[in-house]
Amino acid sequence: MVKLRALSVCLAVLFCISNAYADEDVIMRQVFGQACDARQRGDDARTAENRAVDKAGLDAVKKAGIIQDYAQNLNEQALNLISYRIIDEYLFDSEHQKTTEDDKQVCVEMSARLEMTPDDLVELINEYKYSAGPTEVEIKEAVEEVQQQIQFKPQNLNEKKLLYIKPLKFWNGVETANYTDTLHESFANSSYFFVTDNQDMADYILMPSVEEAKVDAVDSQNRKMKMVVLLDIIATHDNSFDMLHEQQNHFILFAADKDEQKMADTLIKKLLVRGATALSPQLDKKIGQSLESEKLLGK
């Protein structure tokens, strides 16, 4: 009887393990992660620990490798966004324990059961793999590559174009000009265009928007904010101009006693600057190509 029971247990374990990798309907993994977080002024006894747990969850999902099994060459931001969604929706029975705790930091180890369908995972990957913004290094490399490709530059002020920046629009229709100066500074150093305050004179119009700003409670001491910012540039007189589009997504974790509006304001500015840094050289390239065409046509 003991031998039969042991055999049945072994078969059950083997069945579960095989299902974790072979069952096309469900992906099941036991995941493990570890992380540390520095104590900050004003933290209570659990705040740094909770931030460490959140980081450990991210570490666990990324190390599990299931995202990488279904998508190659994701940038770090896309990988983080997909991982956070998995943590929010598909991690169960999460447990953690502190491994280090002193006046400077808290370190934890965590484990959880990951369970989701391949269809759910593919849907998350498709949602974020194209929309997640480039990393700082990728933006810098793209800017350098674009600048190398542009052969024609304005020879005089008359050849430089004008860009108008519209007020930032939120998903609920509310608009604000509070971020116009931030965007103006980000687009101010181009050799191909000026920023203008007169929309009627503009050759191009920048339309910034916040498509999503969501705050979720991690626990009583911590919050997680998700922000989605879009930047689109259209031409006012050129029907052949394809709209330039940049989307920036980001998650941040912050203490519940922090000013939520200030956190949102800081994040919006950061994402707008990142988006502008990526878009400005693209507009330069478009204008350079237009100048090339005009010169070839003898205009």
Side-chain angles (χ1 to χ4, degrees), residues 103-214:
D103 294 338
K104 295 183 178 180
Q105 67 175 3
V106 178
C107 298
V108 302
E109 291 180 346
M110 66 84 64
S111 64
R113 175 171 54 87
L114 188 157
E115 184 174 337
M116 66 189 306
T117 67
D119 287 344
D120 288 337
L121 179 54
V122 170
E123 183 176 348
L124 286 182
I125 291 170
N126 289 335
E127 181 177 352
Y128 290 108
K129 68 178 180 180
Y130 297 119
S131 61
T135 64
E136 301 291 348
V137 173
E138 289 170 334
I139 289 176
K140 182 178 179 181
E141 291 175 348
V143 169
E144 292 174 350
E145 181 179 353
V146 167
Q147 295 300 339
Q148 291 173 1
Q149 293 174 353
I150 301 175
Q151 298 179 4
F152 289 87
K153 294 185 178 181
Q155 301 301 308
N156 54 65
L157 294 181
N158 292 330
E159 289 184 337
K160 294 187 73 169
K161 303 298 183 180
L162 295 177
L163 172 71
Y164 176 76
I165 300 173
K166 296 193 70 172
L168 180 71
K169 186 175 182 179
F170 290 87
W171 67 93
N172 58 3
V174 175
E175 295 185 352
T176 176
N178 291 342
Y179 302 94
T180 302
D181 288 345
T182 298
L183 286 167
H184 192 152
E185 292 176 8
S186 299
F187 283 98
N189 298 317
S190 172
S191 301
Y192 294 82
F193 60 85
F194 294 112
V195 177
T196 177
D197 294 330
N198 189 332
Q199 183 173 347
D200 294 334
M201 296 178 59
D203 300 289
Y204 304 99
I205 296 176
L206 171 69
M207 300 182 297
S209 61
V210 177
E211 294 299 306
E212 183 179 351
K214 182 181 179 183

Side-chain angles (χ1 to χ4, degrees), residues 16-298:
C16 291
I17 293 175
S18 65
N19 271 358
Y21 295 89
D23 190 342
E24 295 183 355
D25 296 324
V26 179
I27 300 170
M28 297 178 63
R29 300 279 177 90
Q30 192 72 19
V31 298
F32 304 89
Q34 54 188 1
C36 299
D37 194 87
R39 293 192 181 280
Q40 301 175 14
R41 181 177 298 179
D43 283 353
D44 61 21
R46 292 292 301 275
T47 299
E49 179 182 344
N50 290 329
R51 288 196 300 263
V53 171
D54 190 75
K55 292 180 180 179
L58 184 63
D59 177 59
V61 172
K62 291 168 70 173
K63 286 196 307 189
I66 65 166
I67 301 173
Q68 296 88 332
D69 289 343
Y70 284 78
Q72 302 296 321
N73 302 320
L74 289 174
N75 64 34
E76 189 68 14
Q77 185 179 359
L79 183 59
N80 286 344
L81 289 169
I82 296 166
S83 298
Y84 270 123
R85 285 288 300 276
I86 291 175
I87 292 169
D88 288 340
E89 301 175 34
Y90 302 104
L91 278 194
F92 306 94
D93 303 328
S94 179
E95 297 180 350
H96 77 274
Q97 59 181 7
K98 289 182 285 187
T99 57
T100 303
E101 182 176 20
D102 54 37
D103 294 338
K104 295 183 178 180
Q105 67 175 3
V106 178
C107 298
V108 302
E109 291 180 346
M110 66 84 64
S111 64
R113 175 171 54 87
L114 188 157
E115 184 174 337
M116 66 189 306
T117 67
D119 287 344
D120 288 337
L121 179 54
V122 170
E123 183 176 348
L124 286 182
I125 291 170
N126 289 335
E127 181 177 352
Y128 290 108
K129 68 178 180 180
Y130 297 119
S131 61
T135 64
E136 301 291 348
V137 173
E138 289 170 334
I139 289 176
K140 182 178 179 181
E141 291 175 348
V143 169
E144 292 174 350
E145 181 179 353
V146 167
Q147 295 300 339
Q148 291 173 1
Q149 293 174 353
I150 301 175
Q151 298 179 4
F152 289 87
K153 294 185 178 181
Q155 301 301 308
N156 54 65
L157 294 181
N158 292 330
E159 289 184 337
K160 294 187 73 169
K161 303 298 183 180
L162 295 177
L163 172 71
Y164 176 76
I165 300 173
K166 296 193 70 172
L168 180 71
K169 186 175 182 179
F170 290 87
W171 67 93
N172 58 3
V174 175
E175 295 185 352
T176 176
N178 291 342
Y179 302 94
T180 302
D181 288 345
T182 298
L183 286 167
H184 192 152
E185 292 176 8
S186 299
F187 283 98
N189 298 317
S190 172
S191 301
Y192 294 82
F193 60 85
F194 294 112
V195 177
T196 177
D197 294 330
N198 189 332
Q199 183 173 347
D200 294 334
M201 296 178 59
D203 300 289
Y204 304 99
I205 296 176
L206 171 69
M207 300 182 297
S209 61
V210 177
E211 294 299 306
E212 183 179 351
K214 182 181 179 183
V215 177
D216 294 315
V218 177
D219 49 45
S220 60
Q221 285 84 35
N222 294 280
R223 302 288 183 267
K224 182 160 58 180
M225 179 181 292
K226 176 188 177 183
M227 187 80 70
V228 180
V229 169
L230 301 183
L231 291 173
D232 295 325
I233 295 179
I234 61 172
T236 57
H237 308 298
D238 185 357
N239 293 330
S240 65
F241 183 87
D242 292 328
M243 182 180 71
L244 298 178
H245 174 81
E246 180 66 25
Q247 178 167 325
Q248 292 286 331
N249 303 324
H250 200 63
F251 282 96
I252 58 171
L253 187 71
F254 62 99
D257 60 356
K258 298 292 185 182
D259 189 318
E260 190 173 297
Q261 292 300 320
K262 288 184 178 180
M263 299 297 297
D265 178 69
T266 300
L267 185 55
I268 288 173
K269 288 179 179 177
K270 177 180 179 180
L271 296 183
L272 287 175
V273 170
R274 283 174 56 88
T277 303
L279 268 188
S280 185
Q282 295 181 44
L283 184 56
D284 285 349
K285 183 178 180 180
K286 286 283 189 180
I287 297 173
Q289 290 172 341
S290 177
L291 288 172
E292 180 180 5
S293 298
E294 291 176 3
K295 291 184 181 298
L296 291 175
L297 294 173

